[in-house]
Amino acid sequence: MPSQEIGETIPANTPHAVSVTLPTWEATVGYEEGQDWVVSKMTSGYPRFFIHSVIQQLAKGIEAKYGRDGERCMIFPTYNVAKRCREFIKEKTSLDQVLVRVLQLSTRAPKDENEKSTVIETNIGVVFFPLSEFSLAKNYWQHSGEGISSRMGEYLLKELIEPQAATNPRGNMKAELQAKQIQSKSPSISISSSGTNALESDKESDTFIEQKYGRVLDLKFAPEAKVALRRRISGKADKSHNQEEEMEKARRGKNLSETDVYLYPTGMASIFNAHQALMKIFQPTPKISVMFGFPYVDTLNILKKFGPGVHFLGLGDDESLDELERDLADGKLDIMALFCECPSNPLLKTPDLPRIRKLADKYGFAVVIDETIGNFLNIHVLPYADIVASSLTKVFSGDSNVMGGSIIINPSSPFYPQLQKYFNEEYEDCFWAEDALYLERNSRDFADRSAKINETSLAALELLVNSPLISKVYYPSISESKKHYDAIKTSTGGYGGLMSFLFHDPADAVCFFNAVNIHKGPSLGTNFTLACPYAILAHYEELDEIAKWDIDRNLIRISVGLEDKDELIEVLQRSLDTAAAQHK
């Protein structure tokens, strides 16, 4: 059963969980307001917003060994990333002068072939700054998505701060698993109290251990895992509508290659680095970008806080596109790029991508499409993009235990030669080895999971649309922009697992959310259904501002998972009934 305990990881007992339980509306508000009854219980959180306890411990150890009086530090996977953080702090600080320094640290290389399974040589960048500048460093960590992962922090802690334990934990875990495997091969057969043949049970244990842990523990396979991920992404993303196949071939000229795919530690790091690439390409005078449609919060923050700025068209509808075209034609706007989500989070609007592409070709700007919500099995956005960014943390992984992101550069883009040159020269592989191994394993059944989520979501949609308590449901198949979604929908694709909805009475929203017996916390695309009061969680300090873009403060967002369809519908119906009962 989903936990309703504040601060418990989602999934439960998962040390590197991506989500965390905020089980009630009041708890979500309490978290946003920093109330002690909530914050004191938060042992975990979404990794870009909540610095994992292992990373906090590592930072304290590094501060103790290398810091100066009054300094704090933040840890990044490369020296160059740390330098970007340093420049951000120095640019944004309110102090006349501030000392921000960067230290590079390295872990040891494997001694021999056997150690390559558990030891990996890596370099990191550590930014030291006065305590007064911690919030700025944290802003960079959150917005850029370039901080170290908790698994990397765990490894660095053992190598840099606790060297005596460097080779023991993984070795012990591997030995323990091998011992279980050996023990499970015992020829003795017995019948358990449930009537299960113990030998059959042991065989299942073997399979479980091999599939869940066998490859993940071996660091030397990380390069192969990354190749497999890039091939998986390029192969799926390159599928087009059958009816458009010939047109697609003629337009693109060549097939997408795995070398056009770049992996990042988070989805936000993908968007951040897409923006960085375009600013470099448009030197010496980068132009502003357009954010088309209301996006996830940090996409807009990246465009606002890094570079020359952003022109925000928050409604993201056809009228907004009319406005953009007029401003471009009249010379009121001269832009570097247009960023959009497809569909958008949380209102599930789909932009008119063919029209955007025509404007981009006419006026010479780049198009960056974040297709995380749709996912590249459901929609085919590459023909309309110069760069496709994705959060692999979501449905691509599903297990909610690893972060990841990707960039695809379109071989048919007019900017392709410049983008290819940029990434060949500037790209750094910051994706931690263990995270790549977990993500590769998680994503093997991506297609099957996506199909089931699509199917279950339609049943959930029908329930919500027909509830007399609910005033509006946001979902691509019932949106005013459905025609734009259908224009890019793949032949076997669906409409995804994310939907948002409003109640006629805000009190019903609170009652429903508090009563519903599903996981409740940040993130989406998980293998389990996950809900949150989206506006409260993501925009609590700007609820009046976001109302201008049709984001209601009482909006609930649900990401449908892999549960049995009938059971999920029953759970949702019970909570609707609970909300209805308070009117009697």
Side-chain angles (χ1 to χ4, degrees), residues 413-464:
S413 164
F415 297 104
Y416 182 74
Q418 296 148 286
L419 288 169
Q420 190 178 47
K421 182 176 185 294
Y422 172 86
F423 285 105
N424 284 343
E425 294 174 355
E426 304 287 343
Y427 174 73
E428 291 185 301
D429 183 359
C430 299
F431 194 31
W432 179 238
E434 286 176 291
D435 294 322
L437 288 162
Y438 271 86
L439 184 60
E440 191 281 320
R441 182 203 70 193
N442 292 354
S443 60
R444 291 176 194 173
D445 61 351
F446 169 41
D448 292 338
R449 289 186 288 105
S450 178
K452 181 171 183 180
I453 287 170
N454 288 340
E455 180 184 353
T456 304
S457 296
L458 293 178
L461 175 69
E462 183 179 4
L463 173 69
L464 296 174

Side-chain angles (χ1 to χ4, degrees), residues 298-353:
D298 280 316
T299 299
L300 190 57
N301 279 327
I302 286 170
L303 301 181
K304 282 181 176 178
K305 297 183 180 183
F306 298 87
V310 61
H311 181 66
F312 185 31
L313 295 172
L315 294 177
D317 52 15
D318 290 346
E319 289 73 22
S320 299
L321 206 48
D322 293 339
E323 177 187 336
L324 175 62
E325 186 167 15
R326 285 194 301 269
D327 287 346
L328 290 168
D330 295 344
K332 293 180 180 179
L333 273 181
D334 184 16
I335 65 174
M336 172 180 76
L338 180 145
F339 286 72
C340 64
E341 296 177 344
C342 191
S344 65
N345 178 18
L347 296 186
L348 288 307
K349 292 182 180 180
T350 305
D352 185 347
L353 294 185

